[in-house]
Amino acid sequence: AQSVAQPEDQVNVAEGNPLTVKCTYSVSGNPYLFWYVQYPNRGLQFLLKYITGDNLVKGSYGFEAEFNKSQTSFHLKKPSALVSDSALYFCAVSSLMNRDDKIIFGKGTRLHILP
Amino acid sequence: DAGVIQSPRHEVTEMGQEVTLRCKPISGHNSLFWYRQTMMRGLELLIYFNNNVPIDDSGMPEDRFSAKMPNASFSTLKIQPSEPRDSAVYFCASSLSRGVNQPQHFGDGTRLSIL
C-alpha cells in the first residue's frame, strides 16, 4: 500500500530565510509525487510534480522540490521565504502500480513565515 | 480559464435535512473527485468518477451519502439525512485524464455546518 508522511505539523521560518517542508513516501514501483498549497478558505492549488527525469523540480511561486529515491523523500524548498508563503502544504503520491487513479495526500504541514 | 466551480460556498442547515453540494469541473477534464476535509481527519477521498462513471466509492462514509455525475460538466454530492458529524469542508477536484501522473485541480469548497 502506498503512503506519504509529512513529519512536521508546523514549520516556522523567518522571512528571507530558506525554507524546507519535509515529505517521505512509500509506494510500489516508480512514484509520481506532488506538492499542493492551501490558503485559508481556498481549495488546494497544485505547485509542482515529479514524474521522471531531473531530480530537482521547479514549480510555482519560486518553490522547488528534490526527489531522492534512496531516501524516499520529496522535500519542498524555497531559497528565501515570504510572509505570503504562510499556508498549509500537502505532499501527495501515486504510482502506475495503482489499480486506481487515487492520489494519496499527506496530512499537511502548516508553514508560518515570521516577519 | 474557469477553474472548478462549487456551490454553495457555505451551507448551514439543521440535522435531518437533505444537503446537496454541486460541482462543475474544468471543461475537458474527465476525472472528478469529491473530498472531505476536517481538522481531525484531514483530507479524505470520498468518491471519484471517470467519464461520468463512478470508479471507486469506498470512501463514502455511509449510505446517507450519494454522488452522481449525470454529464461531463456537473456532479452532485448529496447527504440525506444530514448529521452534525457531517460538518466539514467538501471539495471537488478534476483532472485532465485518467492517469495517476495528472495533477488535480480543486474548487474552493463548500463549508457545511449541520446544527
Side-chain angles (χ1 to χ4, degrees):
Chain A
Q2 59 187 21
S3 64
V4 60
Q6 295 182 241
E8 303 153 318
D9 290 335
Q10 182 170 309
V11 172
N12 297 323
V13 177
E15 185 178 23
N17 283 2
L19 69 87
T20 299
V21 183
K22 296 179 180 177
C23 172
T24 59
Y25 66 90
S26 174
V27 70
S28 300
N30 293 323
Y32 298 140
L33 295 155
F34 305 82
W35 276 102
Y36 288 79
V37 60
Q38 185 180 26
Y39 298 103
N41 299 315
R42 300 296 302 276
L44 280 69
Q45 297 178 32
F46 169 69
L47 273 179
L48 52 81
K49 68 178 180 180
Y50 171 83
I51 302 300
T52 186
D54 193 349
N55 288 345
L56 186 64
V57 179
K58 295 187 183 297
S60 306
Y61 311 122
F63 283 93
E64 58 189 26
E66 186 168 12
F67 171 63
N68 187 316
K69 188 172 183 177
S70 63
Q71 297 186 4
T72 62
S73 67
F74 189 57
H75 301 332
L76 182 71
K77 300 181 180 183
K78 187 173 182 180
S80 178
L82 300 173
V83 172
S84 56
D85 293 330
S86 299
L88 186 59
Y89 289 81
F90 291 91
C91 182
V93 66
S94 65
S95 167
L96 268 180
M97 299 294 287
N98 283 10
R99 295 182 179 181
D100 51 42
D101 297 329
K102 291 179 183 176
I103 294 177
I104 304 301
F105 286 88
K107 293 189 177 300
T109 298
R110 191 163 296 280
L111 179 63
H112 289 283
I113 307 302
L114 309 172
Chain B
D1 188 17
V4 174
I5 299 173
Q6 292 187 244
S7 63
R9 287 297 313 275
H10 304 274
E11 176 87 16
V12 181
T13 191
E14 294 185 346
M15 65 178 294
Q17 297 298 306
E18 178 179 291
V19 173
T20 300
L21 311 181
R22 297 173 175 80
C23 175
K24 177 179 170 57
I26 293 173
S27 177
H29 284 193
N30 53 15
S31 290
L32 183 140
F33 305 81
W34 281 101
Y35 292 88
R36 178 172 67 176
Q37 186 179 36
T38 61
M39 290 290 290
M40 292 297 294
R41 301 172 69 95
L43 194 66
E44 303 172 277
L45 176 64
L46 302 177
I47 185 171
Y48 77 92
F49 296 82
N50 183 258
N51 290 327
N52 313 338
V53 176
I55 303 300
D56 185 348
D57 65 354
S58 60
M60 296 285 262
E62 299 173 34
D63 291 345
R64 298 183 296 106
F65 286 69
S66 62
K68 294 182 180 180
M69 192 165 185
N71 57 61
S73 59
F74 184 65
S75 177
T76 60
L77 178 68
K78 187 173 293 186
I79 308 173
Q80 167 63 19
S82 58
E83 296 183 5
R85 59 193 168 120
D86 302 330
S87 298
V89 182
Y90 290 80
F91 289 103
C92 176
S94 68
S95 67
L96 186 59
S97 65
R98 186 172 187 180
V100 294
N101 62 352
Q102 296 296 322
Q104 295 177 14
H105 299 263
F106 284 72
D108 282 335
T110 295
R111 185 173 295 276
L112 179 63
S113 297
I114 308 298
L115 307 178

